Amino acid sequence: MTGAFVAGLLAGYGVAIPVGAIAVLILGLSARTSFRVGAAAALAVATADGLYAMVAVLGGAVLADLITPVAGPLRVLAAVVLLGIAGHGAWRALRRRSSAAPGRTGAGLTTPWRAFAGVLALTLLNPATVLYFTALILGRPDTGPDLLAGGLFVAGAFLASASWQLLIAGGGSLVGRVLTGPRGRLTTALLSSALITALAVVMLLPD
């Protein structure tokens, strides 16, 4: 049973540690708003990873056949959502700079609940995550049929993803404390939008 939990931890870190668009998004949210918002986004990613790990445990080989035909459209949809988030973030940063009135804190992903819901939906659009966990389950047949072992695998994946994403959110919060002025916030917002845009473009490129 311990082996299943450790396998889940390793799987969770394996899918979470590579820095991608979601990590940049979490970092930017924490830097521009607060750790609470960044932490909500971080937990949304961990929730999605946990759900996909659970689906992989329960579905096994059937998932690969279901997901593969729509992997391309889902990737395009995820890229479009990322481009929308990048454009919205840049627009709000420039608008806040040109306007004397402060921006609404409830707009976009700037509240914990909105950040959680938005990032959860975005992360669930990534078909690579479920295929990743499915491949691991197929490679470890001892993890799937046993419900307890499967539950421990899912728990390990969730905890690993949550710990790493919260670390990213904490780093973004520290950056936000250093760059508290209007120029610093504008710089981080535009940099985050540029990185998310680049990652969305890369997502659209053929493998």
Side-chain angles (χ1 to χ4, degrees), residues 143-202:
T143 308
D146 191 326
L147 290 180
L148 179 56
L152 289 173
F153 179 88
V154 172
F158 172 82
L159 290 175
S161 180
S163 63
W164 182 258
Q165 304 300 342
L166 287 172
L167 180 63
I168 292 175
S173 182
L174 291 176
V175 171
R177 291 175 185 174
V178 174
L179 302 175
T180 54
R183 182 175 298 178
R185 291 186 178 276
L186 175 63
T187 300
T188 57
L190 293 179
L191 179 60
S192 175
S193 294
L195 288 173
I196 293 174
T197 299
L199 290 165
V201 171
V202 170

Side-chain angles (χ1 to χ4, degrees), residues 45-126:
V45 176
T47 299
D49 288 344
L51 288 174
Y52 269 149
M54 181 184 300
V55 171
V57 168
L58 297 176
V62 178
L63 291 172
D65 295 333
L66 294 177
I67 295 297
T68 300
V70 296
L74 284 179
R75 179 183 296 180
V76 172
L77 180 58
V80 169
V81 172
L82 285 175
L83 290 173
I85 290 175
H88 184 263
W91 176 78
R92 289 191 67 245
L94 294 171
R95 182 171 177 267
R96 185 182 298 117
R97 186 187 186 190
S98 62
S99 175
R104 292 180 299 157
T105 58
L109 302 179
T110 52
T111 65
W113 282 111
R114 289 183 180 182
F116 182 88
V119 174
L120 177 62
L122 179 60
T123 309
L124 289 175
L125 289 174
N126 185 8

